[in-house]
Every structure is written in structure tokens, then in C-alpha cells.
Amino acid sequence: MQSRTFPHTKSDRHFDISLRLLMIAVGVTLAGCIVWLGLRWADTPTVPADLVPLTELAPRSGSLTAIEAGSSEARQLLLAPGQVFRCVSGNRVTFTDRPCPTKVR
């Protein structure tokens, strides 16, 4: 049996050349990106200068007493992670992980 070979046309050659050029361009770009990322990763950062000057403030002594003098209701509000409360207020039913308020506001 005789094998037939098809002649290459001019468009096939241009397609092959453009495909090879595209592969070379992608390969060079990929290698450049890998080198650039490697250089950035290897570069040790210097200590950054503060963009905003920081000043240290002493804590106020009155803020601690204001927290202690707060309402006892706020201090007793505890979360119950394993428990769900069903609260009914008027015609609305809500579910929460906090105890239901005793007073209707």
C-alpha cells in the first residue's frame, strides 16, 4: 500500500511558526515571573518606618471605676453556647443564645 503525504501549505507553516512563537513568549514570561517572585521572596524586608507617628497614652484611672459601677444586668448577661432560648414578645418569636429579657420594652 502506498502512503500518501499531504503537501504542507503556506498557512500551515505560518500557523506552526506562530504557535511556536506563542509558546516561547509564554515560557519566557513564566520563567520571568518565577524569577521575580523568587527574588521578592528571598529579599528580607527591612523594618518599616512608621507612616503615622504613635504616641503611648497612659490609661485613665476613671474608666475602671465606670465599668465597675455599671448596671448589674449588663454584668449578668452571659452566653450559653450549648443552649438556645425561645423568647416570645407580643406576637414575635425569636431564638437566641442569650437569656430572654424579663421586661418587655
Side-chain angles (χ1 to χ4, degrees):
M1 181 178 246
Q2 191 178 21
S3 68
R4 292 178 64 187
T5 59
F6 294 103
H8 290 289
T9 61
K10 193 173 187 179
S11 64
D12 288 341
R13 288 187 190 126
H14 288 296
F15 181 75
D16 288 343
I17 291 172
S18 64
L19 188 60
R20 286 183 184 167
L21 289 175
L22 181 64
M23 287 174 42
I24 290 170
V26 169
V28 167
T29 305
L30 180 63
C33 288
I34 290 173
V35 168
W36 181 71
L37 287 174
L39 290 175
R40 283 190 52 112
W41 179 69
D43 185 26
T44 57
T46 59
V47 177
D50 291 332
L51 297 176
V52 178
L54 301 176
T55 56
E56 188 173 339
L57 299 175
R60 297 182 194 170
S61 62
S63 63
L64 184 59
T65 57
I67 292 172
E68 290 177 1
S71 67
S72 63
E73 185 177 316
R75 278 189 269 140
Q76 292 179 359
L77 181 65
L78 300 175
L79 298 177
Q83 189 174 11
V84 176
F85 295 96
R86 182 177 186 264
C87 302
V88 179
S89 175
N91 292 333
R92 294 182 64 192
V93 177
T94 57
F95 296 94
T96 179
D97 59 346
R98 298 178 179 167
C100 299
T102 55
K103 299 177 187 175
V104 177
R105 295 182 185 185

